[in-house]
Amino acid sequence: MSLFSRNQKNDQVTQEDIIKALSTVQDPDLHRDLVSLGMIKDIKINDGKVSFTVELTTPACPLKEKIKTDCHEAVAKIPGVSRIDIHMAANVKTHGGIPEKEEIPGVKNILAISSGKGGVGKSTVAVNLALSLIKLGAKVGLMDADAYGPNIPQMLGVKGQPETDGKQIYPPQAYGMRVMSVGLVATGDQPVIWRGPMLHSLVNQFLRQVAWEELDYLVVDMPPGTGDAQLSLTQLAPLAGAVLVTTPQEVAQSDVRRAIMMFKKVNVPILGVVENMSYFICPDNGKQYDIFGSGGGEKLAKQYKTVLLGKIPINPRIATGGDAGIPIVVAEPDSPITKEFENIAAAVAQQISIANISGQPLPVLQ
């Protein structure tokens, strides 16, 4: 049935009425109405009872409830409407990328989690951000490209080598998320010496030979620094953007600045900064202590005209959860720390969606 066709029963309320009402509701990010954006689906009318679907561009939309409320209020103004049922759905758009870079089959958006140095909790942020996207309704995979310190398997409690049929590698799953890591292939405590061509081949294999299936987001945990793995990823795949992880202290910020400039040179948008180990709340007196200083994340975001996505505190439960293979967003789903990770995930998904549906790529730092 055409979206604009009249109800065959000639009810007082028509589909044209619904469309007209919903055309006044704007997406707060895109500043266009939901009808012209193609977000209104499956309108049904029966004796004044109206139902329809709002198809968002990401299930992690932080403004989901506002959009739903605005739609309800708009339709409720139509004479003859006695009941309104709104179903909120999502269809994540594919990142357009750069024409000369081949897309990864089934993967709509690739997101790099990076830092300029080790020890800032980058892998912890990658794991909990990826799991937060899943909690918000997205299909997510996690690729551990940190060949020098592949900690993701331990942090997710994943063991055993992945299966393969000689053509594809079938990654194990943890908490509803497909996971691939060097740590699943090169097990044990012996170091693996990776040279540039080997790293390039590894990244390419993880991108194109792993059966990721259909993913809204592939989160890639990068090695520290600005070396071969980072360059290989930017050469091999169209990245939707990068999230930079820092601590408040100046030495960490200096290294993150180098990472930001590296992504600038390869035309990868910076989605924002996460300040990890931001502060400590003493359980004895409830006071906040800025152990590594304060304001580092804000300073970086302001300097490079990006956003501070969130602040993650120092909390022993984050570390113990990672050691035990039960990340904090799983172990404590209602905690303030989990909520902060969810806010970060929603903000990242929001930026990617705006770029994808508008057809305008996110700006690269100048």
Side-chain angles (χ1 to χ4, degrees):
M1 179 183 294
S2 168
L3 196 63
F4 294 94
S5 65
R6 285 192 170 272
N7 186 284
Q8 294 183 354
K9 292 184 178 181
N10 294 317
D11 290 345
Q12 182 181 358
V13 182
T14 68
Q15 289 196 5
E16 289 92 334
D17 295 331
I18 307 301
I19 292 297
K20 184 177 180 180
L22 292 175
S23 66
T24 67
V25 179
Q26 288 201 333
D27 183 290
D29 291 321
L30 298 169
H31 307 293
R32 287 175 53 192
D33 70 272
L34 303 187
V35 174
S36 66
L37 288 169
M39 293 183 176
I40 305 302
K41 310 285 184 181
D42 196 26
I43 298 174
K44 295 179 181 178
I45 306 167
N46 184 13
D47 293 329
K49 299 176 182 178
V50 176
S51 67
F52 57 92
T53 296
V54 179
E55 188 177 80
L56 303 173
T57 55
T58 174
C61 176
L63 301 172
K64 182 188 301 184
E65 290 305 315
K66 173 176 172 49
I67 292 173
K68 184 176 182 179
T69 299
D70 289 349
C71 287
H72 191 281
E73 290 178 353
V75 175
K77 295 177 181 178
I78 302 172
V81 171
S82 59
R83 176 176 171 177
I84 305 169
D85 292 321
I86 305 174
H87 174 61
M88 303 299 288
N91 180 20
V92 177
K93 306 299 181 183
T94 299
H95 173 63
I98 300 173
E100 61 268 23
K101 294 183 181 180
E102 183 182 353
E103 294 183 0
I104 309 304
V107 177
K108 294 182 178 180
N109 299 282
I110 302 175
L111 168 65
I113 312 297
S114 187
S115 66
K117 69 189 298 292
V120 298
K122 169 184 56 60
S123 295
T124 296
V125 171
V127 165
N128 285 285
L129 188 154
L131 290 173
S132 294
L133 285 169
I134 288 179
K135 286 186 66 177
L136 293 170
K139 298 176 183 177
V140 184
L142 179 58
M143 172 178 152
D144 183 4
D146 190 348
Y148 307 111
N151 298 317
I152 295 296
Q154 179 179 352
M155 298 176 75
L156 289 170
V158 178
K159 298 179 181 179
Q161 292 195 347
E163 297 181 358
T164 179
D165 59 7
K167 295 181 180 179
Q168 283 192 307
I169 301 169
Y170 297 93
Q173 293 193 43
Y175 306 110
M177 176 171 64
R178 293 180 182 275
V179 182
M180 189 61 200
S181 169
V182 176
L184 297 173
V185 180
T187 57
D189 296 327
Q190 293 300 314
V192 180
I193 309 301
W194 297 95
R195 296 184 182 273
M198 295 172 62
L199 270 176
H200 188 87
S201 176
L202 173 77
V203 172
N204 188 49
Q205 185 178 34
F206 278 11
L207 286 171
R208 305 192 183 283
Q209 288 185 246
V210 172
W212 292 112
E213 296 190 353
E214 297 296 321
L215 296 181
D216 296 322
Y217 307 97
L218 176 60
V219 177
V220 182
D221 181 31
M222 302 301 298
T226 55
D228 292 322
Q230 284 83 351
L231 292 175
S232 292
L233 182 65
T234 59
Q235 291 168 358
L236 291 167
L239 296 186
V243 171
L244 277 299
V245 181
T246 187
T247 58
Q249 63 192 122
E250 181 61 36
V251 67
Q253 296 171 51
S254 297
D255 290 324
V256 171
R257 288 187 182 94
R258 298 185 186 96
I260 288 175
M261 297 311 294
M262 184 273 295
F263 282 116
K264 172 186 173 181
K265 288 183 178 180
V266 293
N267 295 315
V268 173
I270 302 299
L271 299 172
V273 176
V274 174
E275 185 179 273
N276 195 32
M277 308 182 199
S278 184
Y279 56 88
F280 173 71
I281 302 295
C282 179
D284 295 333
N285 57 25
K287 291 184 178 180
Q288 177 175 318
Y289 295 92
D290 299 326
I291 295 175
F292 295 117
S294 63
E298 290 98 331
K299 185 177 179 181
L300 273 174
K302 184 176 181 180
Q303 180 179 355
Y304 292 101
K305 296 181 176 59
T306 184
V307 295
L308 179 64
L309 295 166
K311 295 182 176 182
I312 306 301
I314 299 172
N315 192 301
R317 300 195 304 276
I318 298 177
T320 56
D323 290 343
I326 310 174
I328 192 164
V329 300
V330 175
E332 301 182 25
D334 300 317
S335 71
I337 297 174
T338 294
K339 182 61 178 177
E340 185 71 357
F341 274 118
E342 290 178 358
N343 289 339
I344 292 169
V348 168
Q350 181 181 34
Q351 288 194 63
I352 294 173
S353 292
I354 292 171
N356 290 352
I357 197 168
S358 67
Q360 299 296 320
L362 289 165
V364 176
L365 296 176
Q366 300 300 318

